[in-house]
Amino acid sequence: MLTGAAVLLGVTAGQAQAAEVSYATKCVPPSGIGLPDVIGTTKVDITAPATAKVGDTVDVVWKFTQAASKNPDIIDLPANSVQPSGTLKAAGAQTADVAMTGPRENPAIPKGGAMTLSDMKGTLKLTAAGQVTLTPDAYVVNALSTDTKCAPTETVQPAATITVTAGEGSPSTSPDPSQSGSPSPSQSPSSSTSPSVSVSPSASGTGTGGDGGQTDFTGKVVDIPYTCASPIGEKKATSPIQINARKSGGSYGLTVQFKKSVMDSPIDIPANKVKPTMQIVLGGSDEGTVKAEGPTNPAPIKQGAPIEIPDLTGTYKPGATGESTLSPGVLTIEALGTTTTCTPDSTAVSLTLNTQEQAGGASGGSGSSTTSGGSTTTSGGLAETGSGDHATLKALGLVAGTAILLGGAVFTFMPGRRLR
């Protein structure tokens, strides 16, 4: 019997253990969406070694058996678009906050489907002999570029206990609580690393297209601040834009260029799912707008790859004789079945052309411009104030059509609760 007991102890000592705990959780949706906070139930399994020695670094696994939310009825979440991170509390013989992070791995989650979160992992270095308890705490669900923050609303019971024995030369009593383990995780575990885009104020001038047989006209790069409105919220964005023209007869072929990639793709985007359109604003002698369109993305865009906004093209047939100006206007993004409209907070003239009125051309205008309060307004009606009051951001309309619309779909809801 004694021998059998010894064998049994030898087998079980140090083996990993798992236990499930359930706790009420308050989840806060991303700001600017207008959705209320939600109380749900989180169920977690914690796996850790049953025994270890002082000085050991042990692996800990946090498995969600139930998240505190479902995917609301807004949009299907694609595969590998959701990433969890959180904090595990160590207490007893030592006190520590253990940073836990899971990979961005999930199956496709349909509207109204249960949120499926990957297992989170972390490590804890044991510093004192005795009983060390492990208790799940707050966590963050990142879907593309948005965070939903969840925290317990009640005392959570420990989910695992490690019996720590003294190692050779190690203390047998608990050290000062300040000797904590891993730091708490960031509340934005997968924030974008794309570079900001900025343009020198000197770029806000105008390219001028004269006559005299010239056919190609190059505009100036202008920094345009946008407010993008989507079905789930609003986002500010700034981008450098250039309008060029090529004369053919009495008309001009226009090309709108976005000078830099503004963001890395937060998810895999299938081919032919993103299409941008812009209304170029006419001013000076002419007025009205000219539609410029871009092609859909010809190939899939891999997660982490730069999102390139294609050149937008259109045809301008002048409706007046004189100096006509062209400025970036409203940008519309159709992406994955949704539409986002980006309106300039202010605009600036990129190109000025000496035009001759053509039959059936643009609407024509008085050709005058006015100055009020230090800002010039073209007949297009948008102030040329530049973007001095706008911080350059890492996303523009294309991101509004992908990351904003998709990322917002992780807003927390109680299981079964549906968006009104």
Side-chain angles (χ1 to χ4, degrees), residues 176-380:
D176 187 281
S178 63
Q179 298 179 13
S180 60
S182 303
S184 298
S186 167
Q187 291 298 303
S188 298
S190 58
S191 58
S192 171
T193 57
S194 303
S196 297
V197 177
S198 61
V199 176
S200 169
S202 63
S204 62
T206 60
T208 301
D211 214 309
Q214 184 179 357
T215 58
D216 292 321
F217 308 99
T218 302
K220 294 289 185 181
V221 177
V222 290
D223 204 20
I224 305 299
Y226 279 97
T227 297
C228 295
S230 75
I232 60 170
E234 189 174 272
K235 188 177 183 70
K236 296 284 187 178
T238 299
S239 181
I241 299 174
Q242 182 179 34
I243 301 175
N244 300 321
R246 171 170 288 183
K247 188 174 183 180
S248 177
S251 298
Y252 298 84
L254 303 181
T255 301
V256 181
Q257 296 179 336
F258 292 82
K259 304 308 291 183
K260 292 183 180 180
S261 173
V262 293
M263 186 177 178
D264 292 341
S265 177
I267 60 167
D268 290 344
I269 301 177
N272 302 314
K273 293 299 183 182
V274 179
K275 182 175 178 62
T277 304
M278 175 181 282
Q279 297 295 332
I280 300 171
V281 178
L282 303 176
S285 298
D286 214 344
E287 65 180 10
T289 59
V290 176
K291 183 178 182 180
E293 295 182 291
T296 58
N297 53 309
I301 304 173
K302 291 294 185 181
Q303 180 179 342
I307 295 176
E308 302 290 347
I309 300 180
D311 290 352
L312 314 182
T313 58
T315 301
Y316 168 41
K317 193 172 185 180
T321 298
E323 285 195 348
S324 299
T325 61
L326 291 84
S327 307
V330 174
L331 178 68
T332 301
I333 304 297
E334 296 178 359
L336 298 173
T338 61
T339 300
T340 292
T341 302
C342 299
T343 304
D345 295 343
S346 62
T347 194
V349 173
S350 175
L351 182 63
T352 300
L353 299 171
N354 291 322
T355 58
Q356 295 292 324
E357 180 179 356
Q358 304 294 310
S363 59
S366 64
S368 63
S369 62
T370 60
T371 301
S372 175
S375 64
T376 304
T377 303
T378 70
S379 58

